């Protein structure tokens, strides 16, 4: 019931039509990492130096190169001149925007980025969309929009994540992951989660738990 209400709200307030739910934003970022690996031969992700460590750990584990750039101290957003400089000097595949407390990257940077075959991810974990669709149409320009409802977020529900996209390519890839996962039997899922838990704890606790 709640999912259908959320879908209706997002369909009415944004121009994004594909809405994907998950228990954690990290799960969505992991799936996006797999998509990036599939789409780009040698992917390079540009992200703000202030972004939380979770996306970096996921991309690093997937052997995706990361370039960090400085942020504007007034807004917390990546500096546009550094974005342009890195695109010029590096083979950037993905830009990971993090919008903080209502501050959103200006559409000017989107006009610069379009037609460059760069995947744009807008992370709204520390902000949220407007109730005004006209405002959302101005500030939401990513191929992917991430909304988070976990601990410390603007809407802290304890957990939960939503991924918005209009990309049929991304939509098909996410559906493929869902279908593939559903086909796994219990033993296969146990092996999968054992590998994931061992990796997770090797990063955070330096030891195996299973």
């Amino acid at each position: 019931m709640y999912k259908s209400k959320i879908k209706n709200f997002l369909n009415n307030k944004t121009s994004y039509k594909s809405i994907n739910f998950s228990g954690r934003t990290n799960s969505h970022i992991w799936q996006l990492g797999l998509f990036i690996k599939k789409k780009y031969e040698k992917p390079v992700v540009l992200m703000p130096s202030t972004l939380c460590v979770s996306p970096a750990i996921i991309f690093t584990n997937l052997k995706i190169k990361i370039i960090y750039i400085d942020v504007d101290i007034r807004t917390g957003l990546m500096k546009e001149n550094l974005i342009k400089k890195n695109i010029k000097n590096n083979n950037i595949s993905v830009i990971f925007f993090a919008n903080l407390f209502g501050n959103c990257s200006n559409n000017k940077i989107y006009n610069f980025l379009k037609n460059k075959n760069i995947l744009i991810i807008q992370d709204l974990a520390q902000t949220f969309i407007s109730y005004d669709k006209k405002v959302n149409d101005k500030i939401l320009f990513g191929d992917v929009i991430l909304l988070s409802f976990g601990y410390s977020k603007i809407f802290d529900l304890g957990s939960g994540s939503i991924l918005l996209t209009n990309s049929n390519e991304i939509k098909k890839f996410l559906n493929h992951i869902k279908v593939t996962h559903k086909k796994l039997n219990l033993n296969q899922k146990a092996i999968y989660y054992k590998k994931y838990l061992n990796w997770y704890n090797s990063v955070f606790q330096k030891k195996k738990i299973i």
Side-chain angles (χ1 to χ4, degrees), residues 3 5 12 14 24 26 30 39 67 72 80 109 114 117 121 141 157 159 167 174 177 204 208:
K3 280 188 177 182
K5 288 184 177 181
N12 290 329
T14 77
R24 300 275 302 178
N26 280 352
W30 184 271
K39 183 176 177 65
I67 295 177
D72 187 322
E80 289 188 16
I109 194 65
K114 65 182 179 182
N117 193 32
I121 300 172
F141 56 82
L157 304 179
S159 65
S167 165
L174 296 180
I177 290 177
F204 289 99
K208 292 186 176 183

Side-chain angles (χ1 to χ4, degrees), residues 50-125:
T50 53
L51 191 66
C52 78
V53 71
S54 296
I57 290 174
I58 292 170
F59 290 144
T60 300
N61 186 68
L62 290 171
K63 295 181 171 55
I64 296 173
K65 182 179 178 181
I66 300 170
I67 295 177
Y68 294 99
I69 65 172
D70 204 358
V71 299
D72 187 322
I73 195 169
R74 296 166 299 176
T75 64
L77 303 176
M78 290 187 290
K79 293 181 177 179
E80 289 188 16
N81 64 313
L82 294 181
I83 293 174
K84 293 177 180 179
K85 180 180 178 180
N86 274 277
I87 289 173
K88 182 179 179 181
N89 298 336
N90 299 283
N91 188 24
I92 302 298
S93 315
V94 182
I95 298 184
F96 201 109
F97 287 98
N99 298 336
L100 300 174
F101 309 113
N103 291 320
C104 293
S105 297
N106 196 297
N107 263 4
K108 289 179 182 177
I109 194 65
Y110 170 67
N111 292 328
F112 172 78
L113 292 172
K114 65 182 179 182
N115 302 321
K116 292 187 182 294
N117 193 32
I118 294 175
L119 180 69
I120 300 173
I121 300 172
Q122 278 187 283
D123 179 4
L124 274 63

